[in-house]
Amino acid sequence: VNTKEPVEAKNFPILEAAIFDRGIKKKVIAEKLNISAKALSNKLSGKSTFTWDEVVTLKCVFFPDIAPERLMSRNNGKSA
């Protein structure tokens, strides 16, 4: 089993992949969003929602090269 790749399905696969690929610590993202690590986990799992301000911060601070619509897409772009 490859322990570096997430195994379970993700609610935000592009965002999760971008976080993983760039080696960004989720704790750092949570701090920039002014939320707890648990709150970020809940947002990534779909238990709670991202605010528009959080989406803008994610894009501007961490992913300036990825459009917000793509970053927050629940579709990874692969065909079923």
Side-chain angles (χ1 to χ4, degrees), residues 12-24 62-63 66 71:
F12 299 100
I14 294 169
L15 175 58
E16 290 269 19
I19 291 168
F20 177 81
D21 291 345
R22 296 177 189 200
I24 302 169
F62 298 103
F63 310 105
I66 304 174
L71 191 64

Side-chain angles (χ1 to χ4, degrees), residues 28-40:
V28 172
I29 293 173
E31 288 171 358
K32 283 289 186 186
L33 296 179
N34 293 315
I35 60 175
S36 68
K38 179 64 177 168
L40 178 60

Side-chain angles (χ1 to χ4, degrees), residues 22-65:
R22 296 177 189 200
I24 302 169
K25 301 278 187 210
K26 290 180 182 173
K27 179 181 176 184
V28 172
I29 293 173
E31 288 171 358
K32 283 289 186 186
L33 296 179
N34 293 315
I35 60 175
S36 68
K38 179 64 177 168
L40 178 60
S41 176
N42 286 342
K43 290 171 186 285
L44 291 171
S45 69
K47 292 179 183 173
S48 61
T49 58
F50 284 95
T51 66
W52 179 247
D53 286 344
E54 290 167 342
V55 173
V56 169
T57 299
L58 284 169
K59 166 147 178 65
C60 292
V61 175
F62 298 103
F63 310 105
D65 57 320

